[in-house]
């Protein structure tokens, strides 16, 4: 259901931009207005989402981590998995953000002979996820050769390394191929594993299809249906320098590519893709577990009006004495002080 | 009210910095795509300025044409290219393309530098001498 729905939406988006540019000549809309709106939506939406999250208090350290907490000096603590200081927490966060350490601990649970529960080695999800995210990052950085004039040296360097392999007189960018392969693997995994398919929604398939669309149109433009790169760079440089122009001879394939990118980035703040910012706010990862060393007070605690037992006894002493109940004090503190004098 | 507002704000500033830096870097810069120069002795002698295929096709597909020529010449030993109008050309970068476009710096390099592509034509082929 979610799968077909997402596929239909992506197909409709592609058709819309194709008809819009080819039949209606809306290249200014798809080449300038929508990209600006998408970037604004992305940046403003992202900030608002993070601010909204930051309004939720997260006072308590998560103590059930997978490592030994720092306690007595002769018990060896696990500094990365259960950090007690901010700097070790940053190490844990860095490993999480850069190498998906939690996902690396992923295992596969299976019933053998219908009754024995076994946990098996399962690194493919982690590997594909890592390849996907890193390839995507490198692909984005590489695109700055078409965004900036002059091109910064590090972009050129990354492009050179990425295009190390040459097929039929031209450099093939490894990350482009890996990106498409990894996203395809992640999609197939989602469809083929029944449990994963059961919990998959349109919100899971849609970004996968959009990213597949982006990668496919990119690869088509680069290797198969060649486009006029100089006109395209004129368009993108125009966008980034706020002198938007629509040059002649920009292929519709480019508009499809651009529109899918706009769809993806404007979709980020409203979707699961916010894990881009959300990972930094993971309560299980970003707080040092120092709850034995420091007292953390719930920030929404308000002053509670208490009635202590001593006050209670003061209030009901006569009645309690009359009923023969045991008393902590025979008379209130004030009376005791008065009698002494 | 935000919690940990110091860290949140630092994080958001980094986020905005990363995602707006192409705008900041290009701010106020003129956007000029390279203009290709056709001012060479051979082209000037031609009555009409026309390539062996139409300009728009050549702008996007010249690299594919050259790659196809390489296969035709090197593997199939065929050196004759027939264009849409039926005219025959010698499939040769140096003797056909560069015959007219003898101004590599103002022709080839102008776009290749702009689009940051580094074709390996000149690893084997001899670049035309710059006519001063």
């Amino acid at each position: 259901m979610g799968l077909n729905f997402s596929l239909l939406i992506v197909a409709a988006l592609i058709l819309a931009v194709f008809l819009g540019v080819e039949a209606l000549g809306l290249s200014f809309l798809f080449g300038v207005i929508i990209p600006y709106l998408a970037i604004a939506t992305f940046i403003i939406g992202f900030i608002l989402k993070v601010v909204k999250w930051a309004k939720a208090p997260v006072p308590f350290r998560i103590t059930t981590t997978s490592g030994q907490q720092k306690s007595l000096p002769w018990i060896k603590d696990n500094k990365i998995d259960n950090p007690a200081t901010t700097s070790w927490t940053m190490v844990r966060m860095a490993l999480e953000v850069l190498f998906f350490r939690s996902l690396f601990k992923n295992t596969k649970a299976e019933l053998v002979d219908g009754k024995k529960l076994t946990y098996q080695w399962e690194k493919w999800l982690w590997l594909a996820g890592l390849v996907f995210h890193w390839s995507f990052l490198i692909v984005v950085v590489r695109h700055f050769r078409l965004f900036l004039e002059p091109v910064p040296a590090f972009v050129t360097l990354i492009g050179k390394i990425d295009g190390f392999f040459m097929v039929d007189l031209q450099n093939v960018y490894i990350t482009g191929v890996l990106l498409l392969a990894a996203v395809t693997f992640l999609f197939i995994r989602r469809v083929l594993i029944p449990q994963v398919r059961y919990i998959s929604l349109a919100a899971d398939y849609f970004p996968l299809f959009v990213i597949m669309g982006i990668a496919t149109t990119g690869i088509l433009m680069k290797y198969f249906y060649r486009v006029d790169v100089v006109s395209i760079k004129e368009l993108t440089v125009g966008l980034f320098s706020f002198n938007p122009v629509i040059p002649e001879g920009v292929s519709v394939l480019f508009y499809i590519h651009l529109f899918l990118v706009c769809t993806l980035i404007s979709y980020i703040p409203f979707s699961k893709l916010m894990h881009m910012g959300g990972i930094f706010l993971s309560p299980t990862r970003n707080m040092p577990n120092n709850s034995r060393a420091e007292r953390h007070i719930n920030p929404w605690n308000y002053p509670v009006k208490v009635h202590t037992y001593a006050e209670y006894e003061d209030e009901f002493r006569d009645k309690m004495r009359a009923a023969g109940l045991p008393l902590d004090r025979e008379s209130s503190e004030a009376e005791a002080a008065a009698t002494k004098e | 009210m935000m919690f940990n507002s110091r860290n949140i704000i630092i994080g958001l500033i980094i986020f905005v910095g990363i995602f707006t830096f192409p705008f900041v870097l290009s701010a106020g810069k003129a956007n000029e795509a390279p203009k290709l120069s056709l001012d060479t002795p051979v082209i000037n002698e031609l009555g009409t300025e026309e390539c062996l295929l139409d300009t728009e096709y050549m702008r996007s597909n010249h690299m594919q044409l050259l790659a196809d020529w390489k296969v035709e010449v090197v593997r199939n030993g065929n050196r004759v290219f027939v264009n849409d109008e039926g005219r025959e050309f010698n499939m040769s970068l140096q003797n056909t393309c560069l015959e007219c476009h003898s101004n590599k710096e103002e022709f080839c390099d102008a776009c290749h530098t702009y689009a940051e592509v580094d074709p390996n034509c000149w690893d084997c082929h001899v670049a035309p001498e710059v006519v001063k």
Side-chain angles (χ1 to χ4, degrees):
Chain A
M1 174 64 205
L3 196 158
N4 294 334
F5 176 72
S6 307
L7 197 59
L8 204 69
I9 296 277
V10 175
L13 290 173
I14 293 173
L15 192 68
V17 58
F18 183 79
L19 292 177
V21 172
E22 289 287 282
L24 303 172
L26 297 172
S27 38
F28 194 77
L29 176 70
F30 286 105
V32 176
I33 297 173
I34 288 177
Y36 277 137
L37 287 178
I39 292 169
T41 310
F42 168 59
I43 291 179
I44 295 169
F46 193 101
I47 292 172
L48 292 180
K49 191 69 138 190
V50 170
V51 168
K52 186 184 167 195
W53 283 342
K55 285 179 178 167
V58 186
F60 298 122
R61 313 295 150 135
I62 310 288
T63 49
T64 50
T65 58
S66 55
Q68 172 63 47
Q69 186 179 11
K70 181 174 163 57
S71 56
L72 297 166
W74 43 269
I75 299 176
K76 192 167 179 282
D77 61 322
N78 187 331
K79 289 196 164 53
I80 293 176
D81 277 323
N82 203 337
T85 61
T86 308
S87 41
W88 279 108
T89 311
M90 287 164 101
V91 173
R92 176 167 76 175
M93 277 306 287
L95 289 172
E96 187 63 32
V97 171
L98 300 173
F99 304 112
F100 312 166
R101 201 154 175 273
S102 301
L103 192 55
F104 190 71
K105 296 172 184 168
N106 180 41
T107 51
K108 186 169 80 176
E110 213 172 22
L111 282 174
V112 178
D113 304 333
K115 50 186 179 222
K116 263 190 287 176
L117 181 63
T118 60
Y119 294 95
Q120 291 163 33
W121 190 93
E122 214 304 75
K123 301 287 179 229
W124 300 114
L125 176 63
W126 169 81
L127 185 69
L130 200 69
V131 167
F132 169 75
H133 283 83
W134 276 102
S135 298
F136 211 151
L137 176 67
I138 294 170
V139 167
V140 169
V141 171
R142 230 177 47 207
H143 272 72
F144 281 84
R145 87 181 167 96
L146 302 171
F147 298 167
L148 297 171
E149 175 60 31
V151 182
F154 76 96
V155 175
T156 310
L157 181 70
I158 287 176
K160 284 249 161 74
I161 296 170
D162 197 3
F164 179 78
F165 289 109
M166 187 170 267
V167 176
D168 191 23
L169 286 183
Q170 71 173 330
N171 300 90
V172 172
Y173 289 129
I174 308 163
T175 50
V177 179
L178 286 179
L179 173 65
L180 191 57
V183 77
T184 307
F185 172 84
L186 292 173
F187 167 69
I188 290 175
R189 175 187 170 277
R190 198 173 268 292
V191 175
L192 286 191
I193 302 178
Q195 297 94 320
V196 181
R197 180 162 189 172
Y198 182 73
I199 58 164
S200 294
L201 304 170
D204 300 299
Y205 293 116
F206 178 70
L208 288 179
F209 287 139
V210 172
I211 292 166
M212 277 182 197
I214 292 170
T216 310
T217 46
I219 287 172
L220 282 179
M221 280 192 287
K222 174 104 177 78
Y223 307 107
F224 300 100
Y225 298 98
R226 308 213 177 250
V227 292
D228 184 355
V229 178
V230 172
S231 308
I232 288 171
K233 181 159 182 179
E234 205 181 341
L235 193 153
T236 52
V237 171
L239 285 179
F240 285 114
S241 59
F242 294 109
N243 297 313
V245 279
I246 297 292
E248 286 291 304
V250 176
S251 156
V252 70
L253 209 48
F254 170 76
Y255 286 110
I256 295 173
H257 186 71
L258 181 65
F259 186 59
L260 290 178
V261 172
C262 291
T263 306
L264 186 72
I265 64 170
S266 52
Y267 177 68
I268 286 175
F270 312 101
S271 66
K272 299 184 177 191
L273 304 182
M274 264 310 284
H275 67 267
M276 181 194 218
I279 190 165
F280 293 97
L281 304 180
S282 316
T284 59
R285 305 282 95 190
N286 67 3
M287 286 188 285
N289 183 11
N290 55 2
S291 37
R292 282 179 167 179
E294 274 176 40
R295 180 159 190 230
H296 300 287
I297 294 172
N298 188 347
W300 65 82
N301 276 356
Y302 49 90
V304 176
K305 203 171 170 247
V306 290
H307 192 215
T308 61
Y309 179 71
E311 285 163 0
Y312 172 86
E313 213 180 69
D314 282 349
E315 201 179 331
F316 297 105
R317 179 166 292 110
D318 295 339
K319 290 188 174 76
M320 290 170 74
R321 192 182 285 129
L325 291 173
L327 290 168
D328 274 6
R329 286 166 170 277
E330 282 305 315
S331 55
S332 74
E333 266 185 69
E335 284 167 15
T339 354
K340 249 185 198 172
E341 275 171 20
Chain B
M1 191 191 67
M2 286 200 297
F3 294 91
N4 300 313
S5 48
R6 188 172 144 267
N7 291 344
I8 295 281
I9 289 167
I10 292 173
L12 285 177
I13 288 172
I14 293 172
F15 163 76
V16 172
I18 289 175
F19 284 93
T20 54
F21 100 91
F23 290 102
V24 175
L25 278 186
S26 333
K29 279 191 188 162
N31 175 19
E32 276 179 35
K35 294 269 177 294
L36 294 186
S37 165
L38 297 176
D39 181 23
T40 63
V42 180
I43 295 180
N44 288 336
E45 275 175 31
L46 291 171
T48 49
E49 287 177 358
E50 55 176 11
C51 203
L52 41 84
L53 292 169
D54 76 85
T55 312
E56 201 173 307
Y57 179 84
M58 288 306 283
R59 279 176 70 99
S60 333
N61 291 282
H62 61 277
M63 67 299 273
Q64 189 61 55
L65 186 79
L66 289 170
D68 293 345
W69 280 15
K70 177 223 145 197
V71 173
E72 274 299 304
V73 172
V74 175
R75 303 212 185 133
N76 303 343
N78 173 21
R79 273 207 171 267
V80 183
F81 174 76
V82 183
N83 76 357
D84 299 343
E85 294 163 8
R87 282 173 64 195
E88 289 188 357
F89 293 90
N90 179 16
M91 281 192 207
S92 165
L93 174 67
Q94 271 167 249
N95 299 329
T96 306
C97 304
L98 299 177
E99 170 83 0
C100 288
H101 301 293
S102 51
N103 52 346
K104 172 174 171 281
E105 278 175 25
E106 292 90 45
F107 190 78
C108 309
D109 294 352
C111 285
H112 290 164
T113 309
Y114 181 72
E116 191 69 23
V117 277
D118 186 16
N120 55 353
C121 309
W122 321 110
D123 291 1
C124 307
H125 290 282
V126 182
E129 281 176 39
V130 178
V131 186
K132 291 242 165 113

